Amino acid sequence: MITQGNSAPRVAIAFGGGGARGLAHIHVIEALDELGIRPVRITGSSIGAIMGAGMAAGLSGAEIRDFTLKTVGDPRAVMNRIWSLRPTTLQEFVSGGGFRVGQYNLERILKAFLPESLPEDFSGLAIPLGVIATDYYGEREVLIEQGALFPALAASAAIPAVFMPVMLDGRVMIDGGIYNPVPFDYLFDDADIVIGVDVVGAPVGEDQQIPRRIESVFGASQLMMQSIIAAKLKIRKPDILLRPNVGKIAVLDFMKAADILAMSADIKDELKRSLDAAIAFRA
């Protein structure tokens, strides 16, 4: 176990966006727990912001794993929670967009699916957290570090064509991964070792298969995010860049939680080896 004293290197981590593929972040959190490492700062985009919020709130990787498998990993639990979100009046149905794709209110969904122990405000987090969202009309990324937590998480994970944009401080916000899929660039001034976790993955399908409309939207988004990451890596790389095996998991395949965790399990040992090497290099 690596213990963090006054002479131990400061570690910070950026959790990337990627929808259901981001459940692989659980292994990374578990590895840090097992090494006794508490990040000095966390940043995240989309699902990475949500996972980062869990860690920043003080949840262990094991607790996040257990909660995930009992909620999104259990089809019956998913249906029960979705049922709890149903509109109870016609007015609520119309004003909330009903159940149309692209009109789902992600903040309501997050409150139904995330642990009750998550605080309502950034000030209640045990580790500083930076959440990335995209200002739709401002054409820029936005770093959110204070204020109400759930609206920020919803804005960061508001995947276009699936969820409604989120209004924050009078601005229309959408998925943070559009501008910064793995926001490690915010961490260099705060830490000795910066970790980035990329779970963007690749488009789902066979080489000769014409994707359906929604699949092509998600696949094009993945290609765009990979090009952004490649451009960022040419400027400055994190000390450790992890790319868990997320196979051909689709962006909304959350009910395949157990499969995602199984296929990405090797990343835990990879992180431990990489941290050992990084710490030895600094010694």
Side-chain angles (χ1 to χ4, degrees), residues 14-18 25 44-46 48 132 141 176-184 197-200 221-222 224-229 232:
F15 293 109
H25 290 315
S45 284
S46 200
I132 304 298
E141 68 182 81
I178 290 174
Y179 260 84
N180 200 338
V182 189
F184 55 79
V197 189
D198 171 14
V199 291
V200 169
S221 177
Q222 286 175 283
M224 175 196 70
M225 288 191 286
Q226 288 290 15
S227 68
I228 292 171
I229 295 169
K232 287 179 57 181

Side-chain angles (χ1 to χ4, degrees), residues 131-199:
V131 171
I132 304 298
T134 297
D135 185 332
Y136 183 76
Y137 291 111
E139 304 175 46
R140 64 189 181 95
E141 68 182 81
V142 177
L143 175 66
I144 308 167
E145 299 178 285
Q146 58 185 1
L149 181 61
F150 280 86
L153 296 179
S156 184
I159 301 171
V162 178
F163 301 113
M164 289 190 296
V166 177
M167 292 293 297
L168 286 181
D169 297 326
R171 305 298 302 177
V172 177
M173 300 290 181
I174 59 174
D175 189 355
I178 290 174
Y179 260 84
N180 200 338
V182 189
F184 55 79
D185 41 312
Y186 288 98
L187 301 175
F188 292 115
D189 292 338
D190 300 297
D192 304 306
I193 298 175
V194 171
I195 304 168
V197 189
D198 171 14
V199 291

Side-chain angles (χ1 to χ4, degrees), residues 12-268:
I13 186 163
F15 293 109
R21 296 180 293 272
L23 297 182
H25 290 315
I26 292 172
H27 293 300
V28 176
I29 299 171
E30 288 178 329
L32 293 175
D33 290 342
E34 291 167 13
L35 293 171
I37 292 178
R38 177 187 172 96
V40 295
R41 191 180 178 200
I42 298 169
T43 55
S45 284
S46 200
I47 185 66
I50 295 169
M51 287 289 173
M55 187 180 197
L59 292 171
S60 69
E63 288 171 330
I64 296 172
R65 173 192 288 266
D66 184 61
F67 185 85
T68 298
L69 292 175
K70 288 180 178 177
T71 53
V72 295
D74 182 342
R76 289 177 298 179
V78 169
M79 293 311 300
N80 288 338
R81 289 171 187 258
I82 289 176
W83 181 249
S84 73
L85 294 170
R86 72 192 187 283
T88 56
T89 66
L90 179 60
Q91 181 179 1
E92 183 182 351
F93 182 86
V94 174
S95 63
F99 292 106
R100 291 175 294 171
V101 172
Q103 295 299 310
Y104 298 131
N105 184 322
L106 185 53
E107 185 176 350
R108 288 189 64 208
I109 293 172
L110 291 180
K111 288 194 172 183
F113 278 90
L114 293 184
E116 294 181 359
S117 57
L118 259 64
E120 292 290 330
D121 195 274
F122 278 79
S123 62
L125 297 172
I127 300 173
L129 173 69
V131 171
I132 304 298
T134 297
D135 185 332
Y136 183 76
Y137 291 111
E139 304 175 46
R140 64 189 181 95
E141 68 182 81
V142 177
L143 175 66
I144 308 167
E145 299 178 285
Q146 58 185 1
L149 181 61
F150 280 86
L153 296 179
S156 184
I159 301 171
V162 178
F163 301 113
M164 289 190 296
V166 177
M167 292 293 297
L168 286 181
D169 297 326
R171 305 298 302 177
V172 177
M173 300 290 181
I174 59 174
D175 189 355
I178 290 174
Y179 260 84
N180 200 338
V182 189
F184 55 79
D185 41 312
Y186 288 98
L187 301 175
F188 292 115
D189 292 338
D190 300 297
D192 304 306
I193 298 175
V194 171
I195 304 168
V197 189
D198 171 14
V199 291
V200 169
V204 177
E206 303 299 327
D207 287 345
Q208 303 299 317
Q209 177 183 341
I210 302 297
R212 292 177 296 180
R213 182 171 60 179
I214 193 65
E215 290 172 344
S216 66
V217 170
F218 291 152
S221 177
Q222 286 175 283
L223 297 175
M224 175 196 70
M225 288 191 286
Q226 288 290 15
S227 68
I228 292 171
I229 295 169
K232 287 179 57 181
L233 292 175
K234 290 179 180 179
I235 299 171
R236 186 173 181 180
K237 297 179 180 179
D239 299 284
I240 298 172
L241 178 63
L242 302 172
R243 286 187 162 124
N245 175 23
V246 290
K248 294 295 184 179
I249 294 294
V251 68
L252 297 179
D253 277 348
F254 284 97
M255 284 191 283
K256 294 182 179 179
D259 294 334
I260 297 167
L261 289 171
M263 70 177 60
S264 58
D266 290 348
I267 205 66
K268 181 185 290 189

